[in-house]
Amino acid sequence: MKALFDKFFSTQTPPEEVPQMMADLGTLFAGIVAGKTENPGDDLTSALIEASEGGDRLTTEEITNTLQLMVAAGHETTISLIVNAVVALETHPEQRALVLKGEVPWENVIEETLRWSTPTSHVLIRFATEDIEVGDRILPKGEALIVSFGAIGRDEEQHGPTAGEFDVTRTPNRHISFGHGPHVCPGAALSRLEASVALPALYERFPGLRLAVPREELRNKPVVTQNDLFDLPVVLA
Ligand code: HEM
C-alpha cells in the first residue's frame, strides 16, 4: 500500500504508469474488502461492509473507493502535519524550547502548524451556487473558485498583525484547515491524535534532533493542493 501511495502522490510518476497504479490500488482494496467480508473485525472496512448489507446502500465498488479515498486523504496530509511541525519548531528555537520544557502542550504546536503551515493549502474547485459578495467584489453564480486554506490561516483580519508568525502560545487559534461545512474533514480527530503521539515520541527519543540542511534547501512538492516537502533531512541526536 505504501509503495502504491508513494507513487500516487509523487510528482515524478510518469503519466503512462497512472492507469496501472490505479488498477493495482483497486485490486489491493478489493482484496481487503474480500478478506473482511469473510473475517469481519472491529474496523472501518467491516463497518462499511456491514452498512452495505441487505439494502440499496454501498456497492462493493463504492466501499473500495471510499477506502481508497480515506487512505489517500489521510496519509500524505498527516505526514505533512508532522513534518511541517518539525520544520516550524526547528526554525523557531525559542518556540521549540517552550515546548520541550513542557511549558506549552503539543496540542498547541499541532494547531499552530495547521494554521501557519497547513498540509492542504488549496482545495480545487468549487462553484458558486449563487452570487456571493466577497469584500467589494461579487463572485458570480457558476464561477469556479479555489479555497486557499494556506492564505486563510494567515489572514490578519482573523489572526491579527502577527498572523504571519509561528507562535505556539497563540490563543485563540481558530483555523479552518480541516475545511468547513458538509465536507469538513472526517479524519481531523484521527490526524490530531496521530500527530500528538508522533511528535512527543520523536522528540523524546531524539531531543537533539535538528535540520540537516538550511531551511532554504528544503524543497516543496510542486502540487497546488498540498504543502508537502519532497523530504526532510534531519540529524537524529
Ligand atoms: C492533517 C491532516 C489532514 C488535513 C489537513 C486534512 C484536510 C482536509 C480538508 C481541508 C478537507 C476538506 C476538503 C473539501 O472541502 O473538499 C478534507 C476532507 C477529507 N478528509 Fe481530511 N485532512 C487530514 C487528515 C485526514 C485523515 C487522517 C483522513 C482519514 C483517515 C481524512 C479523510 C478525509 C476525507 C475522506 C475527506 C473528504 C470529506 C468529504 O468530501 O465529505 N483526512 N480533509
Side-chain angles (χ1 to χ4, degrees):
M1 193 185 290
K2 172 145 177 25
L4 281 171
F5 273 104
D6 280 349
K7 216 168 177 186
F8 183 92
F9 282 110
S10 171
T11 53
Q12 319 288 333
T13 304
E16 61 275 15
E17 289 182 19
V18 170
Q20 187 59 50
M21 176 194 73
M22 295 307 291
D24 290 349
L25 276 171
T27 308
L28 179 91
F29 283 104
I32 293 172
V33 173
K36 289 292 175 184
T37 305
E38 218 156 276
N39 290 309
D42 180 17
D43 55 75
L44 177 66
T45 312
S46 303
L48 287 171
I49 295 165
E50 202 187 319
S52 71
E53 278 165 5
D56 176 23
R57 296 159 99 177
L58 294 179
T59 62
T60 304
E61 195 188 1
E62 283 165 342
I63 298 175
T64 309
N65 288 346
T66 301
L67 292 174
Q68 200 166 310
L69 169 67
M70 277 294 179
V71 181
H75 180 68
E76 188 91 346
T77 45
T78 309
I79 292 176
S80 287
L81 172 58
I82 295 165
V83 165
N84 296 356
V86 171
V87 174
L89 289 176
E90 293 311 313
T91 50
H92 296 82
E94 67 302 338
Q95 309 276 318
R96 177 194 203 274
L98 284 179
V99 181
L100 295 198
K101 273 192 272 170
E103 288 176 21
V104 173
W106 282 100
E107 283 66 30
N108 286 33
V109 176
I110 293 166
E111 295 312 308
E112 182 63 349
T113 304
L114 283 163
R115 181 195 72 82
W116 186 73
S117 186
T118 194
T120 304
S121 40
H122 299 91
V123 162
L124 320 171
I125 280 176
R126 293 291 156 79
F127 294 90
T129 53
E130 55 190 61
D131 287 355
I132 303 172
E133 219 180 302
V134 185
D136 56 359
R137 298 193 167 205
I138 300 284
L139 187 71
K141 181 177 175 181
E143 190 66 76
L145 66 134
I146 293 172
V147 182
S148 176
F149 294 110
I152 293 167
R154 296 191 182 202
D155 180 5
E156 291 193 358
E157 268 184 40
Q158 189 59 234
H159 301 286
T162 62
E165 290 166 25
F166 179 73
D167 176 5
V168 290
T169 63
R170 185 180 300 278
T171 45
N173 191 356
R174 290 183 64 238
H175 60 75
I176 56 163
S177 295
F178 287 113
H180 184 72
H183 290 280
V184 70
C185 177
L190 176 61
S191 60
R192 283 181 164 123
L193 178 66
E194 288 178 72
S196 75
V197 172
L199 285 166
L202 180 67
Y203 278 93
E204 213 165 279
R205 176 111 185 253
F206 301 108
L209 181 147
R210 58 183 191 277
L211 296 188
V213 297
R215 172 70 185 92
E216 312 73 72
E217 285 180 26
L218 298 176
R219 290 178 312 131
N220 264 80
K221 288 186 185 170
V223 182
V224 83
T225 54
Q226 300 305 123
N227 175 21
D228 295 342
L229 292 176
F230 273 108
D231 44 30
L232 178 64
V234 293
V235 176
L236 296 173

